[in-house]
Amino acid sequence: MTEPTGRPATPFRLDFDQQRKRAKELCRALRDGSMEAAARAARHHPALPPPDGIRLADAQLVIARELGCASWPRLKEHVAAMDRVRDAIGRSAAPDGHRQTLHIRCGSDIRPVLREAGFAGEFLEYSNPFCQGPVPQGPDLLVRRTRFILDAYGAAMALDEASVAAKLAAEEEGLTRAAGYDRVVIWVEHDSFDQLVLVRCLAAFAEHGMPRLLELVSANRFPGAARFIGLGQLPPEALRLLWAARRRLGAEAVSFGRRCWEALRRPDPRELAALAAQGTADLPDLPNALHRHLQELPWTRDGLSLTQRLTLEIVRDEGEATIGRSFGRLMREREPLPWMGDVMFLAEVDALAGAARPALAVAGPEEPWPQRRLSLTAAGLALLDGRADWLACGPGERWVGGVQLRTQEPCWRWDDRSGMPVRR
């Protein structure tokens, strides 16, 4: 889709005149006593008056907050800033042009958008998904990660061992060379995929040397007409605004990142939980991401990780859903901190369907995997009803960072009541 201007349409490129019209429509609906409008307003208005007392300003506040801004004036300022920056692209110097710059990102999604936004620096993709699979201590980490990536994603992505091993090695080499740049900028959002890559980068800089200037763009929200999940959703002018808000990282942040990386790889998750509780001001999105990562441990109530439970709940609520639709519902509606890609979700589905007592049944093997249909088994229903424990269903070995989880053995679990890992 494109806008009338010919630019690609995006829910994060807002038209203020359109929002004014939406506010007037909402105001009319509220005054008319619309239940749907009232439900929308109740989610965002702290003290909504009765219908005969509704003012346009009340509707404007609701619209602004639905779009991710604290107030109507802030929404107006944001839209004006986006328009201003968009108009300047192509007519101003490269934002990073005065220093030799390396941009590091845990994926390739923003690489072309950075170019569209006028950035001139080099780009390093570092996308080892430490949020899933083993991240054990020891010198064979890349060997273990290669094996996991092949086993978990290889069939869906047509991967081979040589290419996976070469990619992981090249990413590590790129981190060791980063110290030679005048400036390194790490671009991440707030989820565990990105934040665990961030701490790996910081640990590498602690080991191999710091660049002359290290900066961070870490985003946990962005105003728009869709849920913010990641930087890859954003148009070029949005990256320019985030660039302007980047922060400098010093030795304290690098040291904290290294401690988190080392704790992630330990077989005991309590230190990682303590670091999540401690946090550091320079890495504002890291504590929540670490906390969410720890919620992938088996929970004390049913042995399921949070992702596994949310997946089973979606399939139950849908009746019979496809893998692709279930993934979409997870990312848009259920997951509190979206962290996985579609092939990573497929690996979770395969694990739930591949146990000795599977929680899911998968139909339509002849279909492309997103169209395959999911349904709950008797074991899946028992798990959601609190009548079974997933680790007693024979799910096989699983890892959460450096924590190895084996069936029918005492292991680390997540206690949601205390918000801490416990061993039982």
Side-chain angles (χ1 to χ4, degrees), residues 4 31 33 43 76 85 91 99 115 130 132 209 239 265 275 287 358 394 399 411 413:
R31 288 171 176 170
R43 290 193 291 270
K76 184 177 181 179
V85 170
R91 297 190 290 105
R99 283 180 179 268
R115 290 288 175 259
F130 299 118
Q132 197 173 46
L239 298 190
R265 300 182 66 185
L275 290 169
W399 289 75
C411 66
R413 295 189 179 223

Side-chain angles (χ1 to χ4, degrees), residues 26-34 37-38 41-42 45-59:
L26 178 60
C27 184
R28 285 193 295 269
L30 289 169
R31 288 171 176 170
D32 290 343
S34 164
H45 198 299
L48 188 69
D52 59 358
I54 295 291
R55 300 174 303 148
L56 179 59
D58 296 312

Side-chain angles (χ1 to χ4, degrees), residues 96 136 140 208 275 422:
D96 57 349
D140 63 340
H208 301 297
L275 290 169
V422 296

